[in-house]
C-alpha cells in the first residue's frame, strides 16, 4: 500500500524523495528498498498509541534483521527481541546493549543459552520447563537473569493459521496449568528471577478481543504474586496489505488493551508494524505470456526473494514503478522464474500493458521478506537498499550475493 514515504511523484514511484528508478538503474533488480523515515515514523506512532503504559519496545528482529534497520531503531532508543544467536549477534553489531535484548524462542540450544547468559541479555522468554531448569542450572556463575514465562493462553488468534501461536495445540509457550505450577514453586529456581509473563498469540491480528482475553488470563496467573510486575504482550499489530484489509489500527488496538495493563511494566515486541510498509521489492518484467485464458508477467523476482504469497497466500499490492495512465489495463499473474507453480507474487493484478524491461514494485514487503529469502534454484539473494533518515540519500545496506557466495561452503572432493 502506498503511504507518505512510498508514493508516486510525477508518476514515478518514490521512496521518500528518491525515485525508485535511480536506485534500480544503479543496483539492478530484484532489490529490496526500505525507507528509514517510514520505519521511524511507524515506531513513533506505536509509542504514541501505547503512551498510557509507557511500554519498553523491543523490535522483533525476525521481521527484518538488516543491520541498517536495526541500527536505526537502536539509535532511536529501543531494544530488540531475538530468537537466535544469529539475531543476538546482529543486534550487538547494530549497537544494541545486551541488557536491551529479550531472548525468546521455542528451541533455544544449550550453546545459545550459555552465550546469552555470558553477554547478559535483559530477559529470557522461556517456553519449556526443561529450558527453565537448564537456564537455572547454568546461570549460577552469572548475574541472575530475568525470566518471563511465555504463557500459551489457549486463545485461537484471529489470523492466518501459519502465524497463530496462542491455541493450546501450538508448539509455543507453557500451558496455563504449567505456568501456575512454576509460579507456585518459584523459589526452587533460585538462580533466575522469574519476574514476568510473556504472551504472543500470533502475528497480523485481525481483532483486539483475542489479545484482551489473553492478557486477562495472564493477569489472572500473576495476581497471587504482586512482585511480578512485567507483562510482555508480544507483537502482532496488524498492517493493511490492501485498501480493504480489515485490520484494527494501532490506536484502536492500544485503546483496547492498555486499560488492562495500567500499573504494569509493559514490553511490546512489534516487528511487522514497524517495517512492513517501509519496504518494497522492486523487480523487472522479463517476459509476458498469454496461455489459455491467462496473462502472465514473468519477473526477475520470485518466491525465493518473497515467499509470503506462496507460504501464506499473502497479498502484496504490485504496481508499476512508472505510472502510464494512457495504457489499457488487464489482469495479470505476476510470476517468477522458479520451477514451482506456487512461484507467484500476485494473481489477477490489474496493471497496464507492460513490456520486457519495465519495472514493478511489490509493496508492504519490508517484513518477513528478505529474512525469508533463500537460494532456491541457486538464485542470488538480492541486495537491500535504505533511504536514509534525511529522506534524500540512499545507500546499499547489503550487497547482492555473488556466484562465489553460492558455492563458498561447498566441500568439493
Ligand atoms: C514471540 C514473538 N514476538 C514478536 C513477534 C513479532 O510479531 P509481529 O511481526 O507480528 O509484530 C513474533 C512473530 O511471530 C513472535 O513470535
Amino acid at each position: 500500500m502506498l503511504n507518505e514515504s512510498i508514493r508516486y511523484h510525477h508518476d514515478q514511484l518514490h521512496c521518500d524523495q528518491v525515485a525508485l528508478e535511480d536506485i534500480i538503474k544503479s543496483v539492478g533488480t530484484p532489490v529490496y528498498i526500505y525507507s528509514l523515515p517510514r520505519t521511524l515514523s511507524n515506531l513513533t506512532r506505536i509509542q504514541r498509541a501505547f503512551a498510557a503504559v509507557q511500554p519498553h519496545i523491543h523490535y522483533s528482529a525476525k521481521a527484518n534483521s538488516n543491520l541498517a534497520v536495526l541500527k536505526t531503531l537502536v539509535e532511536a532508543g529501543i531494544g530488540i527481541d531475538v530468537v537466535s544467536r544469529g539475531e543476538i549477534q546482529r543486534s550487538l553489531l547494530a549497537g544494541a546493549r545486551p541488557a536491551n535484548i529479550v531472548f525468546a524462542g521455542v528451541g533455544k540450544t544449550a550453546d545459545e543459552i550459555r552465550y546469552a547468559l555470558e553477554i547478559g541479555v535483559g530477559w529470557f522468554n522461556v517456553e519449556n520447563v526443561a529450558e527453565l531448569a537448564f537456564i537455572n542450572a547454568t546461570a549460577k556463575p552469572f548475574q541472575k537473569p530475568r525470566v518471563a514465562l511465555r504463557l500459551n493462553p489457549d486463545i485461537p488468534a484471529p489470523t492466518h493459521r501459519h502465524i497463530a501461536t496462542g491455541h493450546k495445540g501450538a508448539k509455543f509457550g507453557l500451558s496455563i496449568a504449567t505456568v501456575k505450577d512454576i509460579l507456585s514453586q518459584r523459589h526452587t529456581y533460585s538462580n533466575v528471577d522469574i519476574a514476568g509473563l510473556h504472551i504472543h498469540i500470533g502475528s497480523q491480528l485481525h481483532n483486539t478481543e483475542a489479545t484482551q482475553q489473553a492478557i486477562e488470563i495472564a493477569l489472572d496467573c500473576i495476581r497471587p504474586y504482586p512482585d511480578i510486575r512485567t507483562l510482555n504482550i508480544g507483537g502482532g499489530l496488524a498492517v493493511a496489505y490492501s485498501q480493504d484489509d480489515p485490520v484494527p489500527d494501532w490506536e484502536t488496538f492500544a485503546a483496547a488493551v492498555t486499560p488492562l495493563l495500567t500499573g504494569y511494566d509493559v514490553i511490546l515486541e512489534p516487528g511487522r508494524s514497524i517495517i512492513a510498509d517501509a519496504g518494497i521489492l522492486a523487480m523487472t518484467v522479463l517476459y509476458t505470456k498469454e496461455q489459455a485464458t491467462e496473462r502472465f508477467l514473468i519477473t526477475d523476482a520470485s518466491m525465493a526473494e518473497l515467499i509470503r504469497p506462496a507460504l501464506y497466500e499473502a497479498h502484496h499490492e504490485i504496481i508499476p514503478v512508472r505510472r502510464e495512465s494512457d495504457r489499457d489495463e488487464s489482469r495479470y499473474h505476476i510470476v517468477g522464474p522458479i520451477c514451482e507453480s506456487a512461484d507467484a507474487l500476485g494473481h489477477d493484478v490489474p496493471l497496464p500493458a507492460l513490456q520486457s524491461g519495465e519495472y514493478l514494485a511489490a509493496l508492504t514487503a519490508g517484513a518477513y521478506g528478505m529474512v525469508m529469502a533463500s537460494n532456491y534454484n541457486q538464485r542470488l539473494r538480492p541486495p537491500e537498499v535504505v533511504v536514509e533518515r534525511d529522506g534524500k540519500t540512499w545507500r546499499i545496506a547489503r550487497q547482492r550475493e555473488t556466484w562465489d557466495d553460492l558455492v563458498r561452503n561447498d566441500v568439493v572432493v
Side-chain angles (χ1 to χ4, degrees), residues 26 45 156 159 212 273 292 323 364 378:
S26 159
R45 205 182 127 199
T159 187
Q212 285 170 301
S273 45
R323 192 161 56 179
T364 329
Q378 293 306 293

Side-chain angles (χ1 to χ4, degrees), residues 198-243:
H198 174 225
I199 44 173
H200 171 82
I201 60 168
S203 194
Q204 188 66 358
L205 299 172
H206 273 64
N207 69 41
T208 56
E209 288 82 15
T211 304
Q212 285 170 301
Q213 283 169 29
I215 292 173
E216 267 158 11
I217 293 169
L219 292 175
D220 183 52
C221 290
I222 56 178
R223 201 155 284 124
Y225 310 96
D227 60 312
I228 298 186
R229 302 306 309 163
T230 298
L231 210 54
N232 178 337
I233 62 165
L237 292 177
V239 166
Y241 283 87
S242 65
Q243 286 291 359

Side-chain angles (χ1 to χ4, degrees), residues 44-329:
T44 307
R45 205 182 127 199
I46 294 169
Q47 284 168 325
R48 289 206 182 117
F50 285 86
V53 291
Q54 296 279 305
H56 303 275
I57 298 190
H58 290 258
Y59 165 69
S60 196
K62 65 174 78 66
N64 180 325
S65 52
N66 181 278
L67 278 181
V69 170
L70 291 178
K71 191 161 182 283
T72 301
L73 292 168
V74 167
E75 285 172 2
I78 64 168
I80 310 286
D81 155 46
V82 303
V83 287
S84 67
R85 175 165 177 162
E87 287 187 357
I88 296 179
Q89 290 194 183
R90 279 192 165 266
S91 306
L92 297 179
L93 266 178
R97 284 193 305 115
N100 282 341
I101 293 175
V102 299
F103 186 17
V106 76
K108 305 176 190 75
T109 66
D111 280 350
E112 287 180 315
I113 290 172
R114 268 189 225 104
Y115 173 70
L117 285 168
E118 272 161 28
I119 65 160
V121 297
W123 288 87
F124 283 88
N125 293 341
V126 165
E127 306 213 17
N128 195 299
V129 180
E131 179 196 343
L132 178 61
F134 181 77
I135 297 174
N136 185 58
T138 316
K140 191 139 200 220
F142 302 102
Q143 200 186 342
K144 233 183 210 193
R146 278 181 303 185
V147 162
L149 302 175
R150 177 164 179 184
L151 170 72
N152 178 325
D154 189 16
I155 304 279
T159 187
H160 189 279
R161 67 192 164 85
H162 287 182
I163 47 177
T165 55
H167 49 292
K168 73 175 168 213
K171 69 177 176 178
F172 299 98
L174 300 153
S175 69
I176 301 170
T178 311
V179 164
K180 287 187 172 168
D181 194 40
I182 295 172
L183 290 177
S184 70
Q185 345 163 14
R186 262 198 306 165
H187 57 279
T188 60
Y189 299 98
S190 55
N191 299 323
V192 299
D193 179 13
I194 301 178
L197 286 199
H198 174 225
I199 44 173
H200 171 82
I201 60 168
S203 194
Q204 188 66 358
L205 299 172
H206 273 64
N207 69 41
T208 56
E209 288 82 15
T211 304
Q212 285 170 301
Q213 283 169 29
I215 292 173
E216 267 158 11
I217 293 169
L219 292 175
D220 183 52
C221 290
I222 56 178
R223 201 155 284 124
Y225 310 96
D227 60 312
I228 298 186
R229 302 306 309 163
T230 298
L231 210 54
N232 178 337
I233 62 165
L237 292 177
V239 166
Y241 283 87
S242 65
Q243 286 291 359
D244 47 11
D245 206 348
V247 296
D249 63 37
W250 308 337
E251 290 75 12
T252 306
F253 199 97
V257 301
T258 49
L260 302 171
L261 299 167
T262 311
Y264 287 91
D265 267 346
V266 177
I267 298 178
L268 292 182
E269 299 172 339
R272 184 191 309 272
S273 45
I274 287 190
I275 192 66
D277 72 3
I280 57 177
L281 174 64
M283 64 198 92
T284 303
V285 175
L286 298 175
Y287 303 102
T288 59
K289 183 182 271 191
E290 288 190 24
Q291 200 126 278
T293 55
E294 308 304 310
R295 286 195 165 96
F296 297 90
L297 291 178
I298 301 165
T299 71
D300 64 356
S302 71
M303 66 188 281
E305 291 75 37
L306 181 61
I307 201 175
R308 296 188 68 257
L311 188 61
Y312 310 128
E313 295 167 339
H315 172 85
H316 287 271
E317 304 264 290
I318 301 177
I319 59 174
V321 167
R322 186 185 286 244
R323 192 161 56 179
E324 312 258 9
S325 44
D326 54 342
R327 297 195 199 169
D328 287 344
E329 262 200 5

Side-chain angles (χ1 to χ4, degrees), residues 280-398:
I280 57 177
L281 174 64
M283 64 198 92
T284 303
V285 175
L286 298 175
Y287 303 102
T288 59
K289 183 182 271 191
E290 288 190 24
Q291 200 126 278
T293 55
E294 308 304 310
R295 286 195 165 96
F296 297 90
L297 291 178
I298 301 165
T299 71
D300 64 356
S302 71
M303 66 188 281
E305 291 75 37
L306 181 61
I307 201 175
R308 296 188 68 257
L311 188 61
Y312 310 128
E313 295 167 339
H315 172 85
H316 287 271
E317 304 264 290
I318 301 177
I319 59 174
V321 167
R322 186 185 286 244
R323 192 161 56 179
E324 312 258 9
S325 44
D326 54 342
R327 297 195 199 169
D328 287 344
E329 262 200 5
S330 302
R331 291 190 173 261
Y332 294 90
H333 303 296
I334 313 296
V335 299
I338 297 248
C339 305
E340 299 272 348
S341 293
D343 180 25
L345 297 178
H347 290 290
D348 295 321
V349 181
L351 282 170
L354 291 171
Q355 322 228 317
S356 303
E358 293 192 281
Y359 308 127
L360 289 171
L363 305 183
T364 329
Y368 306 105
M370 179 62 179
V371 280
M372 289 193 184
S374 77
N375 294 118
Y376 187 40
N377 279 203
Q378 293 306 293
R379 293 170 62 80
L380 305 177
R381 280 185 298 166
E384 292 172 291
V385 162
V386 289
V387 172
E388 302 279 16
R389 276 170 264 213
D390 64 7
K392 294 185 202 141
T393 45
W394 62 273
R395 70 179 178 89
I396 295 176
R398 182 183 159 99

